[in-house]
């Protein structure tokens, strides 16, 4: 029920379960599907087939924009179990165990009631067809089983973080992944926010080979913005499931100076994943700002793509995902129709020589190659501007963006 509050979604859930009891046979699933900002923890304990069913129904809701109309009085009454219906909904208290009649295939109540008007049930589109639900369920289930219990590191950054609506959708999708049993680590950049703050204080930004030149003044701003506002804003959007960290916490990212000409830009020499693993075991999503430090406590700005790759290696992650503001690796950077869907890691140097991998793509793809060579199964660049792109990448055969792999892993 898009656009409804949590309370309204739960009420719609009760009506849905009451009217289409035969179609939605899993208690609690629809509440998760309709309101991912406050999901039911019961999904964790469900066996993979039922989780797959939940995801399939969620996909149907998203794709067809199914929802109940706002006028509750036109809906068949299916009160909440053991509850008095909300004001304006009508009806009386119904004891637990007593449900409104379920809908038969022709739209009538199975107990002989009046036919339910189609316009009262769907905002647009036709009734969900069993074949469509079965197809989605069949497609999603093996992917859910593949990633259940596995660790996935998501690098989130660039201009994909600017749009608040998309940012909210991404954070909700990460919560959904966690409920489906995926151990999610979020590593974020914040280039646009850093640029904005530097501009406000009159400090000019400079880049070399895709890396920010970081003097003392710039480093102070980077630390304040990344480990402060950007990090905590993302944590807030995860609705209690996120825990904000930076690479200085527990000396998670131990660094040395990468190049004196770059200033305080760090090269990671060690990743201590103790804090991250502890949070994952507790069901949380670690949200990591990429500010590291050396043994003397000097802070360093660390490229987020490089940090995400090193963290994925330390955690022995199944997958590394880079969400950014481009469709993927393009032969022509100005033409998204030239997307390269798959790259075997041995081909990367050839793309560099051809100038296809250049600028900010150099550390991004270099980190992915390192991760794959050191045990991460696969890495992918996906377009963070596309709603639910991470769900499509993980739980469907459609995928998105550019996938990097090692031939021996595929075989």
């Amino acid at each position: 029920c898009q656009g409804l509050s949590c309370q309204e979604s739960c009420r719609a859930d009760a009506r849905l379960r009451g009217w289409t009891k035969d179609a939605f046979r899993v208690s609690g699933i629809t509440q998760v599907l309709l309101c991912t900002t406050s999901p039911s923890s019961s999904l964790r304990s469900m066996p993979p087939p039922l989780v797959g069913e939940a995801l399939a129904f969620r996909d149907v809701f998203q794709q067809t924009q199914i929802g109940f109309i706002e006028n509750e009085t036109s809906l068949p009454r299916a009160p909440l179990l053991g509850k008095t219906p909300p004001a304006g909904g009508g009806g009386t208290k119904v004891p637990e165990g007593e449900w409104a009649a379920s809908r038969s295939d022709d739209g009538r109540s199975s107990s002989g009631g009046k036919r339910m008007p189609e316009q009262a049930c769907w905002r647009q589109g036709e009734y969900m067809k069993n074949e469509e639900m079965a197809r989605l369920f069949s497609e999603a289930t093996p992917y859910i089983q593949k990633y259940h219990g596995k660790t996935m590191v998501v690098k989130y950054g660039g201009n994909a973080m600017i749009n608040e609506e998309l940012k909210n959708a991404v954070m909700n999708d990460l919560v959904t992944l966690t409920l489906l049993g995926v151990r999610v680590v979020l590593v974020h950049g914040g280039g646009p926010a850093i640029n904005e703050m530097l501009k406000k204080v009159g400090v000019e930004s400079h880049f070399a080979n895709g890396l920010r030149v970081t003097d003392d003044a710039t480093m102070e701003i980077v630390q304040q913005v990344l480990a402060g506002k950007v990090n905590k804003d993302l944590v807030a959007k995860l609705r209690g499931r996120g825990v904000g960290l930076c690479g200085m916490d527990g000396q998670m990212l131990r660094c040395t100076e990468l190049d004196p000409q770059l200033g305080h830009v760090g090269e990671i020499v060690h990743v201590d994943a103790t804090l991250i693993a502890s949070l994952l075991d507790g069901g949380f999503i670690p949200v990591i700002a990429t500010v590291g430090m050396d043994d003397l406590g000097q802070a360093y700005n660390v490229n987020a793509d490089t940090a995400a790759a090193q963290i994925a290696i330390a955690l022995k992650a199944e997958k590394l995902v880079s969400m950014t503001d481009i469709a993927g690796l393009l032969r022509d950077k100005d033409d998204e129709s030239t997307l390269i869907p798959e790259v075997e890691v041995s081909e990367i140097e050839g793309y560099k020589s051809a100038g296809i991998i250049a600028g900010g793509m150099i550390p991004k793809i270099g980190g992915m190659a390192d991760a794959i060579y050191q045990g991460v199964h696969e890495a992918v660049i996906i377009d963070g501007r596309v709603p639910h792109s991470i769900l499509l990448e993980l739980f469907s055969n459609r995928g998105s963006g550019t996938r990097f792999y090692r031939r021996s892993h595929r075989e």
Side-chain angles (χ1 to χ4, degrees):
C1 290
Q2 298 177 4
L4 296 184
S5 68
C6 296
Q7 182 179 5
E8 289 170 328
S9 293
C10 292
R11 279 151 54 185
D13 173 34
R15 287 174 171 75
L16 183 61
R17 284 188 288 170
W19 191 258
T20 60
K21 183 178 174 184
D22 295 333
F24 288 81
R25 59 184 179 79
V26 183
S27 176
I29 280 185
T30 51
Q31 182 175 339
V32 177
L33 309 184
L34 297 175
C35 191
T36 57
T37 60
S38 182
S40 169
S41 60
S42 63
L43 194 55
R44 286 179 178 276
S45 59
M46 292 182 184
L50 298 189
V51 174
E53 184 176 4
L55 184 69
F57 285 141
R58 183 180 190 272
D59 202 9
V60 170
F61 270 78
Q62 290 172 345
Q63 290 186 28
T64 61
Q65 298 182 344
I66 293 171
F68 289 93
I69 62 173
E70 295 178 0
N71 182 7
E72 295 184 8
T73 58
S74 63
L75 290 173
R77 288 191 174 91
L80 291 165
L81 289 178
K83 305 287 185 181
T84 301
T92 58
K93 182 173 180 177
V94 177
E96 287 197 25
E98 294 185 20
W99 284 89
S102 60
R103 182 180 62 82
S104 60
D105 288 341
D106 65 356
R108 296 185 181 87
S109 163
S110 58
S111 60
K114 295 181 180 180
R115 181 181 180 89
M116 179 177 65
E118 293 185 6
Q119 66 271 22
C121 189
W122 312 120
R123 222 174 246 145
Q124 59 178 316
E126 301 177 350
Y127 286 114
M128 288 186 295
K129 299 198 179 294
N130 292 335
E131 296 86 352
E132 176 67 6
M133 288 190 290
R135 183 188 67 78
L136 292 168
F137 167 51
S138 176
E139 182 179 327
T141 299
Y143 295 100
I144 295 170
Q145 292 173 331
K146 174 182 177 181
Y147 291 109
H148 184 83
K150 301 292 179 63
T151 299
M152 181 181 69
V153 176
V154 178
K155 185 269 177 175
Y156 186 47
N159 292 315
M161 296 178 65
I162 294 176
N163 185 300
E164 287 298 315
E165 184 177 348
L166 281 176
K167 191 188 296 185
N168 288 333
V170 169
M171 296 304 110
N172 284 340
D173 287 347
L174 295 184
V175 171
T176 300
L177 292 176
T178 301
L179 291 171
L180 292 170
V182 182
R183 293 159 60 91
V184 178
V185 178
L186 179 61
V187 178
H188 67 85
I194 294 171
N195 292 338
E196 182 181 352
M197 182 59 71
L198 289 173
K199 186 176 180 180
K200 285 182 179 179
V201 299
V203 177
E204 190 174 353
S205 297
H206 299 282
F207 291 85
N209 294 321
L211 300 174
R212 183 186 298 275
V213 177
T214 309
D215 58 17
D216 290 341
T218 302
M219 185 65 237
E220 186 175 347
I221 297 297
V222 168
Q223 188 171 339
Q224 290 175 0
V225 173
L226 276 190
K229 179 172 174 53
V230 173
N231 184 266
K232 300 313 175 189
D233 283 352
L234 292 174
V235 168
K237 292 180 182 298
L238 291 170
R239 310 284 182 166
R241 291 190 173 272
V243 177
L245 301 169
C246 81
M248 301 175 75
D249 295 320
Q251 204 171 19
M252 183 194 309
L253 301 179
R254 183 154 55 90
C255 303
T256 59
E257 189 176 69
L258 177 63
D259 183 341
Q261 294 184 348
L262 293 174
H264 300 301
V265 174
E267 178 180 14
I268 297 173
V269 295
H270 178 70
V271 176
D272 186 336
T274 304
L275 277 177
I276 304 173
S278 178
L279 290 170
L280 289 173
D281 291 342
F284 292 100
I285 301 174
V287 182
I288 303 171
T290 55
V291 177
M293 69 178 185
D294 62 18
D295 291 330
L296 299 177
Q298 171 62 52
Y300 285 95
N301 180 23
V302 180
N303 178 266
D305 292 294
T306 303
Q310 292 300 312
I311 290 170
I313 293 167
L315 292 170
K316 298 179 172 58
E318 175 72 15
K319 192 161 190 168
L320 171 61
V321 177
S322 178
M323 299 187 73
T324 185
D325 55 353
I326 56 174
L329 181 61
L330 308 175
R331 291 187 183 277
D332 179 351
K333 64 181 181 63
D334 298 318
D335 184 358
E336 292 191 353
S337 68
T338 64
L339 175 70
I340 303 170
E342 289 191 329
V343 175
E344 209 280 334
V345 286
S346 64
E347 301 171 347
I348 290 176
E349 288 304 319
Y351 284 121
K352 283 184 180 179
S353 300
I356 293 173
I357 297 176
M361 277 291 186
I362 294 175
K364 184 186 300 292
I365 295 176
M368 289 183 161
D370 289 342
I372 291 171
Y373 280 125
Q374 296 186 59
V376 176
H377 187 75
E378 64 181 22
V380 63
I381 298 173
I382 62 175
D383 193 342
R385 301 169 300 177
V386 177
H388 311 296
S389 58
I390 195 165
L391 295 183
L392 289 174
E393 169 60 31
L394 262 69
F395 296 138
S396 77
N397 58 14
R398 294 182 289 279
S400 61
T402 299
R403 174 178 174 265
F404 296 83
Y405 68 96
R406 194 175 184 183
R407 189 165 287 108
S408 59
H409 287 177
R410 170 174 282 186
E411 296 168 354

